[in-house]
Every structure is written in structure tokens, then in C-alpha cells.
Short mmCIF file of all heavy atoms in Angstrom, two decimals:
data_model
loop_
_atom_site.label_atom_id
_atom_site.label_comp_id
_atom_site.label_asym_id
_atom_site.label_seq_id
_atom_site.Cartn_x
_atom_site.Cartn_y
_atom_site.Cartn_z
N ILE A 704 35.64 9.78 -8.47
CA ILE A 704 35.62 10.54 -9.68
C ILE A 704 34.79 9.81 -10.61
O ILE A 704 34.84 8.49 -10.92
CB ILE A 704 37.05 10.67 -10.28
CG1 ILE A 704 37.82 11.51 -9.28
CG2 ILE A 704 37.18 11.23 -11.68
CD1 ILE A 704 39.37 11.58 -9.57
N LYS A 705 33.96 10.48 -11.47
CA LYS A 705 32.98 9.93 -12.39
C LYS A 705 33.53 9.79 -13.81
O LYS A 705 34.62 10.28 -14.07
CB LYS A 705 31.72 10.85 -12.55
CG LYS A 705 31.07 11.17 -11.06
CD LYS A 705 30.52 9.99 -10.50
CE LYS A 705 29.70 10.24 -9.19
NZ LYS A 705 29.24 9.07 -8.51
N PRO A 706 32.79 9.11 -14.75
CA PRO A 706 33.29 9.05 -16.10
C PRO A 706 33.06 10.24 -17.00
O PRO A 706 32.86 10.18 -18.09
CB PRO A 706 32.54 7.79 -16.73
CG PRO A 706 31.36 7.70 -15.82
CD PRO A 706 31.61 8.16 -14.43
N TYR A 707 32.76 11.43 -16.31
CA TYR A 707 32.49 12.70 -16.94
C TYR A 707 33.22 13.74 -16.01
O TYR A 707 33.60 13.38 -14.94
CB TYR A 707 31.10 13.08 -17.08
CG TYR A 707 30.21 12.83 -15.83
CD1 TYR A 707 30.15 13.66 -14.74
CD2 TYR A 707 29.50 11.50 -15.76
CE1 TYR A 707 29.45 13.51 -13.71
CE2 TYR A 707 28.72 11.34 -14.54
CZ TYR A 707 28.59 12.30 -13.54
OH TYR A 707 27.90 11.98 -12.31
N PRO A 708 33.43 14.94 -16.44
CA PRO A 708 34.32 15.89 -15.61
C PRO A 708 33.69 16.00 -14.14
O PRO A 708 32.55 16.46 -14.01
CB PRO A 708 34.17 17.16 -16.43
CG PRO A 708 34.02 16.81 -17.89
CD PRO A 708 33.20 15.48 -17.80
N THR A 709 34.46 15.78 -13.27
CA THR A 709 34.18 15.89 -11.83
C THR A 709 35.03 16.94 -11.12
O THR A 709 36.14 16.97 -11.16
CB THR A 709 34.38 14.59 -11.04
OG1 THR A 709 33.79 13.57 -11.67
CG2 THR A 709 33.94 14.59 -9.72
N LYS A 710 34.28 17.92 -10.54
CA LYS A 710 35.03 19.05 -9.95
C LYS A 710 35.81 18.53 -8.64
O LYS A 710 35.16 17.94 -7.77
CB LYS A 710 34.15 20.15 -9.59
CG LYS A 710 34.82 21.49 -9.15
CD LYS A 710 33.93 22.68 -9.09
CE LYS A 710 34.74 23.89 -8.88
NZ LYS A 710 33.95 25.18 -8.73
N ILE A 711 37.08 18.96 -8.47
CA ILE A 711 37.89 18.55 -7.48
C ILE A 711 38.11 19.65 -6.54
O ILE A 711 37.86 19.67 -5.41
CB ILE A 711 39.23 18.08 -7.96
CG1 ILE A 711 39.23 16.86 -8.82
CG2 ILE A 711 40.17 17.61 -6.77
CD1 ILE A 711 38.58 15.62 -8.30
N ARG A 712 38.37 20.68 -7.16
CA ARG A 712 38.41 22.16 -6.45
C ARG A 712 38.50 23.24 -7.53
O ARG A 712 38.12 22.94 -8.62
CB ARG A 712 39.86 22.22 -5.56
CG ARG A 712 41.05 22.05 -6.29
CD ARG A 712 42.31 22.34 -5.42
NE ARG A 712 42.52 21.43 -4.46
CZ ARG A 712 43.59 21.38 -3.60
NH1 ARG A 712 44.42 22.30 -3.65
NH2 ARG A 712 43.78 20.45 -2.81
N GLU A 713 38.72 24.51 -7.05
CA GLU A 713 38.57 25.58 -8.08
C GLU A 713 39.52 25.35 -9.23
O GLU A 713 40.69 25.04 -8.99
CB GLU A 713 38.85 26.92 -7.35
CG GLU A 713 38.63 28.09 -8.24
CD GLU A 713 38.95 29.47 -7.57
OE1 GLU A 713 39.37 29.44 -6.37
OE2 GLU A 713 38.75 30.50 -8.15
N ASN A 714 39.07 25.49 -10.31
CA ASN A 714 39.73 25.42 -11.70
C ASN A 714 40.26 23.92 -11.98
O ASN A 714 40.96 23.68 -12.89
CB ASN A 714 40.97 26.29 -11.73
CG ASN A 714 40.67 27.67 -11.97
OD1 ASN A 714 39.56 27.98 -12.51
ND2 ASN A 714 41.33 28.64 -11.21
N LEU A 715 39.92 22.90 -11.04
CA LEU A 715 40.47 21.56 -11.35
C LEU A 715 39.35 20.57 -11.44
O LEU A 715 38.40 20.52 -10.64
CB LEU A 715 41.31 21.19 -10.13
CG LEU A 715 41.91 19.91 -10.15
CD1 LEU A 715 42.86 19.61 -11.41
CD2 LEU A 715 42.82 19.56 -8.99
N TYR A 716 39.42 19.79 -12.46
CA TYR A 716 38.35 18.72 -12.81
C TYR A 716 39.09 17.44 -13.07
O TYR A 716 40.23 17.39 -13.49
CB TYR A 716 37.47 19.05 -13.87
CG TYR A 716 36.65 20.36 -13.62
CD1 TYR A 716 37.17 21.58 -13.73
CD2 TYR A 716 35.23 20.19 -13.30
CE1 TYR A 716 36.37 22.69 -13.47
CE2 TYR A 716 34.45 21.24 -13.07
CZ TYR A 716 34.99 22.49 -13.15
OH TYR A 716 34.28 23.62 -12.92
N ALA A 717 38.48 16.34 -12.83
CA ALA A 717 39.03 15.07 -13.18
C ALA A 717 37.91 14.02 -13.78
O ALA A 717 36.79 14.19 -13.51
CB ALA A 717 39.73 14.42 -11.96
N MET A 718 38.42 13.10 -14.50
CA MET A 718 37.43 12.08 -14.94
C MET A 718 38.19 10.68 -15.24
O MET A 718 39.28 10.65 -15.50
CB MET A 718 36.67 12.48 -16.11
CG MET A 718 37.45 12.69 -17.42
SD MET A 718 36.55 13.19 -18.85
CE MET A 718 35.56 11.65 -19.15
N GLU A 719 37.36 9.64 -14.96
CA GLU A 719 37.92 8.30 -15.24
C GLU A 719 37.08 7.65 -16.41
O GLU A 719 35.89 7.62 -16.03
CB GLU A 719 38.02 7.48 -14.02
CG GLU A 719 38.89 8.01 -13.03
CD GLU A 719 39.16 7.25 -11.73
OE1 GLU A 719 38.08 6.45 -11.41
OE2 GLU A 719 40.11 7.28 -10.98
N ILE A 720 37.59 7.27 -17.49
CA ILE A 720 36.80 6.95 -18.55
C ILE A 720 36.14 5.57 -18.41
O ILE A 720 36.87 4.56 -17.97
CB ILE A 720 37.71 6.94 -19.85
CG1 ILE A 720 38.09 8.37 -20.20
CG2 ILE A 720 36.94 6.30 -21.11
CD1 ILE A 720 39.16 8.54 -21.20
N ASN A 721 34.82 5.42 -18.80
CA ASN A 721 34.10 4.11 -18.78
C ASN A 721 34.19 3.66 -20.27
O ASN A 721 33.36 4.13 -21.12
CB ASN A 721 32.80 4.23 -18.25
CG ASN A 721 31.90 3.05 -18.22
OD1 ASN A 721 32.08 2.25 -19.20
ND2 ASN A 721 31.23 2.80 -17.23
N VAL A 722 34.95 2.62 -20.63
CA VAL A 722 35.21 2.30 -21.93
C VAL A 722 34.03 1.75 -22.62
O VAL A 722 33.58 1.97 -23.71
CB VAL A 722 36.31 1.22 -22.04
CG1 VAL A 722 36.54 0.62 -23.44
CG2 VAL A 722 37.62 1.84 -21.67
N GLU A 723 33.16 0.93 -21.96
CA GLU A 723 31.92 0.24 -22.48
C GLU A 723 31.00 1.39 -22.89
O GLU A 723 30.42 1.29 -24.02
CB GLU A 723 31.25 -0.68 -21.56
CG GLU A 723 32.14 -1.91 -21.38
CD GLU A 723 31.54 -2.92 -20.33
OE1 GLU A 723 30.41 -2.63 -20.01
OE2 GLU A 723 32.18 -3.90 -19.97
N TYR A 724 30.91 2.29 -22.12
CA TYR A 724 29.97 3.37 -22.35
C TYR A 724 30.41 4.29 -23.54
O TYR A 724 29.67 4.63 -24.44
CB TYR A 724 29.89 4.35 -21.15
CG TYR A 724 29.14 5.69 -21.46
CD1 TYR A 724 27.82 5.74 -21.58
CD2 TYR A 724 29.86 6.83 -21.55
CE1 TYR A 724 27.16 6.96 -21.81
CE2 TYR A 724 29.15 8.06 -21.82
CZ TYR A 724 27.89 8.22 -21.88
OH TYR A 724 27.24 9.32 -22.10
N GLU A 725 31.72 4.39 -23.56
CA GLU A 725 32.32 5.24 -24.70
C GLU A 725 32.14 4.52 -26.07
O GLU A 725 31.77 5.19 -27.09
CB GLU A 725 33.77 5.48 -24.54
CG GLU A 725 34.15 6.29 -23.29
CD GLU A 725 33.59 7.70 -23.51
OE1 GLU A 725 33.42 8.26 -24.51
OE2 GLU A 725 33.51 8.39 -22.40
N ILE A 726 32.36 3.25 -26.18
CA ILE A 726 32.21 2.47 -27.42
C ILE A 726 30.70 2.52 -27.88
O ILE A 726 30.41 2.85 -29.00
CB ILE A 726 32.56 1.09 -27.11
CG1 ILE A 726 34.12 0.99 -27.05
CG2 ILE A 726 32.22 0.12 -28.41
CD1 ILE A 726 34.68 -0.44 -26.65
N GLU A 727 29.82 2.35 -26.82
CA GLU A 727 28.29 2.39 -27.12
C GLU A 727 27.91 3.70 -27.67
O GLU A 727 27.21 3.88 -28.69
CB GLU A 727 27.54 1.94 -26.02
CG GLU A 727 26.00 1.86 -26.28
CD GLU A 727 25.25 1.40 -25.08
OE1 GLU A 727 25.86 0.79 -24.16
OE2 GLU A 727 24.01 1.70 -24.98
N LYS A 728 28.45 4.68 -27.10
CA LYS A 728 28.11 6.17 -27.48
C LYS A 728 28.71 6.54 -28.76
O LYS A 728 28.00 7.23 -29.55
CB LYS A 728 28.59 7.06 -26.32
CG LYS A 728 28.30 8.57 -26.50
CD LYS A 728 29.01 9.37 -25.36
CE LYS A 728 28.69 10.85 -25.70
NZ LYS A 728 29.42 11.66 -24.52
N ASN A 729 29.92 6.14 -28.99
CA ASN A 729 30.64 6.70 -30.20
C ASN A 729 30.43 5.92 -31.54
O ASN A 729 30.50 6.38 -32.60
CB ASN A 729 32.06 6.84 -30.00
CG ASN A 729 32.41 8.07 -28.95
OD1 ASN A 729 32.21 9.27 -29.48
ND2 ASN A 729 32.83 7.65 -27.81
N TRP A 730 30.40 4.53 -31.35
CA TRP A 730 30.45 3.65 -32.69
C TRP A 730 29.31 2.65 -32.65
O TRP A 730 29.55 1.57 -33.25
CB TRP A 730 31.84 3.02 -32.58
CG TRP A 730 32.84 3.90 -32.65
CD1 TRP A 730 33.07 5.04 -33.60
CD2 TRP A 730 33.90 4.25 -31.72
NE1 TRP A 730 34.10 5.76 -33.32
CE2 TRP A 730 34.72 5.38 -32.12
CE3 TRP A 730 34.35 3.50 -30.56
CZ2 TRP A 730 35.68 5.71 -31.49
CZ3 TRP A 730 35.38 4.02 -29.82
CH2 TRP A 730 36.14 5.15 -30.27
N ASP A 731 28.21 2.84 -32.12
CA ASP A 731 27.13 1.90 -31.99
C ASP A 731 26.66 1.33 -33.34
O ASP A 731 26.57 0.28 -33.62
CB ASP A 731 25.88 2.39 -31.23
CG ASP A 731 24.89 1.42 -30.86
OD1 ASP A 731 25.29 0.35 -30.41
OD2 ASP A 731 23.69 1.53 -31.22
N SER A 732 26.47 2.35 -34.31
CA SER A 732 26.01 1.89 -35.67
C SER A 732 27.06 1.21 -36.42
O SER A 732 26.71 0.20 -37.06
CB SER A 732 25.57 3.31 -36.41
OG SER A 732 26.74 4.04 -36.62
N ILE A 733 28.25 1.59 -36.30
CA ILE A 733 29.32 0.88 -36.98
C ILE A 733 29.53 -0.65 -36.45
O ILE A 733 29.58 -1.59 -37.17
CB ILE A 733 30.82 1.48 -36.82
CG1 ILE A 733 30.79 2.87 -37.41
CG2 ILE A 733 31.94 0.66 -37.48
CD1 ILE A 733 32.03 3.77 -37.33
N ILE A 734 29.42 -0.75 -35.16
CA ILE A 734 29.64 -2.12 -34.48
C ILE A 734 28.36 -2.99 -34.85
O ILE A 734 28.54 -4.14 -35.08
CB ILE A 734 29.73 -1.92 -32.93
CG1 ILE A 734 31.15 -1.25 -32.64
CG2 ILE A 734 29.55 -3.23 -32.29
CD1 ILE A 734 31.49 -0.98 -31.27
N LYS A 735 27.20 -2.46 -34.84
CA LYS A 735 26.03 -3.13 -35.25
C LYS A 735 26.08 -3.72 -36.64
O LYS A 735 25.83 -4.80 -36.92
CB LYS A 735 24.76 -2.32 -35.05
CG LYS A 735 24.24 -2.19 -33.64
CD LYS A 735 22.94 -1.29 -33.54
CE LYS A 735 22.51 -1.32 -32.14
NZ LYS A 735 21.32 -0.36 -31.88
N TYR A 736 26.59 -2.84 -37.48
CA TYR A 736 26.77 -3.26 -38.97
C TYR A 736 27.72 -4.36 -39.06
O TYR A 736 27.58 -5.40 -39.74
CB TYR A 736 27.19 -2.16 -39.90
CG TYR A 736 27.95 -2.49 -41.25
CD1 TYR A 736 26.91 -3.14 -42.18
CD2 TYR A 736 29.14 -2.48 -41.50
CE1 TYR A 736 27.52 -3.59 -43.32
CE2 TYR A 736 29.76 -2.88 -42.63
CZ TYR A 736 28.86 -3.46 -43.60
OH TYR A 736 29.38 -3.91 -44.76
N LEU A 737 28.99 -4.26 -38.32
CA LEU A 737 30.09 -5.30 -38.34
C LEU A 737 29.42 -6.62 -37.74
O LEU A 737 29.74 -7.71 -38.27
CB LEU A 737 31.24 -4.79 -37.58
CG LEU A 737 32.09 -3.63 -38.28
CD1 LEU A 737 33.20 -3.14 -37.43
CD2 LEU A 737 32.54 -4.07 -39.77
N LYS A 738 28.67 -6.54 -36.78
CA LYS A 738 28.14 -7.76 -36.06
C LYS A 738 27.23 -8.50 -37.32
O LYS A 738 27.46 -9.75 -37.45
CB LYS A 738 27.29 -7.48 -34.94
CG LYS A 738 28.07 -7.16 -33.74
CD LYS A 738 26.95 -6.69 -32.59
CE LYS A 738 27.71 -6.22 -31.33
NZ LYS A 738 26.76 -5.76 -30.26
N THR A 739 26.41 -7.71 -37.91
CA THR A 739 25.59 -8.33 -38.90
C THR A 739 26.43 -8.83 -40.02
O THR A 739 26.11 -9.93 -40.62
CB THR A 739 24.65 -7.14 -39.60
OG1 THR A 739 23.86 -6.54 -38.48
CG2 THR A 739 23.67 -7.78 -40.54
N LEU A 740 27.48 -8.22 -40.39
CA LEU A 740 28.40 -8.64 -41.54
C LEU A 740 28.96 -9.89 -41.16
O LEU A 740 28.95 -10.94 -42.00
CB LEU A 740 29.40 -7.54 -41.80
CG LEU A 740 30.52 -7.87 -42.84
CD1 LEU A 740 29.88 -8.14 -44.25
CD2 LEU A 740 31.56 -6.81 -43.01
N PHE A 741 29.55 -10.00 -40.03
CA PHE A 741 30.16 -11.25 -39.54
C PHE A 741 29.25 -12.39 -39.44
O PHE A 741 29.57 -13.65 -39.61
CB PHE A 741 31.02 -10.92 -38.26
CG PHE A 741 32.20 -10.09 -38.42
CD1 PHE A 741 32.46 -9.09 -37.49
CD2 PHE A 741 32.99 -10.21 -39.52
CE1 PHE A 741 33.45 -8.25 -37.61
CE2 PHE A 741 34.05 -9.39 -39.61
CZ PHE A 741 34.31 -8.38 -38.69
N ARG A 742 28.05 -12.12 -38.93
CA ARG A 742 26.97 -13.19 -38.80
C ARG A 742 26.69 -13.68 -40.20
O ARG A 742 26.32 -14.85 -40.34
CB ARG A 742 25.70 -12.66 -38.01
CG ARG A 742 25.82 -12.35 -36.61
CD ARG A 742 24.68 -12.10 -35.94
NE ARG A 742 24.80 -11.53 -34.58
CZ ARG A 742 24.55 -10.38 -34.14
NH1 ARG A 742 23.95 -9.48 -34.98
NH2 ARG A 742 24.66 -9.99 -32.95
N SER A 743 26.58 -12.80 -41.16
CA SER A 743 26.23 -13.27 -42.54
C SER A 743 27.24 -14.30 -43.12
O SER A 743 27.09 -14.91 -44.08
CB SER A 743 26.06 -12.10 -43.49
OG SER A 743 27.40 -11.37 -43.80
N LYS A 744 28.45 -14.16 -42.56
CA LYS A 744 29.51 -15.06 -42.93
C LYS A 744 29.55 -16.42 -42.19
O LYS A 744 30.55 -17.16 -42.30
CB LYS A 744 30.92 -14.36 -42.87
CG LYS A 744 31.05 -13.15 -43.77
CD LYS A 744 30.79 -13.52 -45.21
CE LYS A 744 30.98 -12.23 -46.10
NZ LYS A 744 30.76 -12.53 -47.50
N GLY A 745 28.57 -16.63 -41.31
CA GLY A 745 28.41 -17.90 -40.61
C GLY A 745 28.92 -17.82 -39.24
O GLY A 745 29.03 -18.85 -38.63
#
């Protein structure tokens, strides 16, 4: 089963989430800003 909808049989799909990919996909700009902010504090 992939980290996206994988067909098992008729009408049935499954997926197993890849957390690292999800974070990069959804919140990359926020996380980059926070990294910069924390680095600016030493």
C-alpha cells in the first residue's frame, strides 16, 4: 500500500501516510520561516 490511494479491489482503496512527505508538502513555508526565526535567536 502506497502513501496515496491504492486500489485493493472494486470500491475499496487504502493508503499508509508518509509523515515526512506530508509535512514538506503542507507546511514547508511555515517551517522554513520558523527555522530562520529560531536561528536568529542564536
Side-chain angles (χ1 to χ4, degrees):
I704 294 173
K705 307 292 184 183
Y707 48 82
T709 308
K710 189 167 185 177
I711 305 297
R712 58 171 71 177
E713 186 179 1
N714 288 328
L715 180 59
Y716 296 78
M718 66 180 289
E719 293 180 337
I720 292 166
N721 183 320
V722 173
E723 291 179 6
Y724 169 76
E725 296 295 337
I726 291 175
E727 184 178 338
K728 179 181 174 184
N729 288 290
W730 302 301
D731 188 51
S732 60
I733 297 175
I734 289 174
K735 282 181 179 176
Y736 164 68
L737 291 174
K738 286 179 187 175
T739 305
L740 177 64
F741 293 137
R742 287 188 192 118
S743 75
K744 297 299 181 183

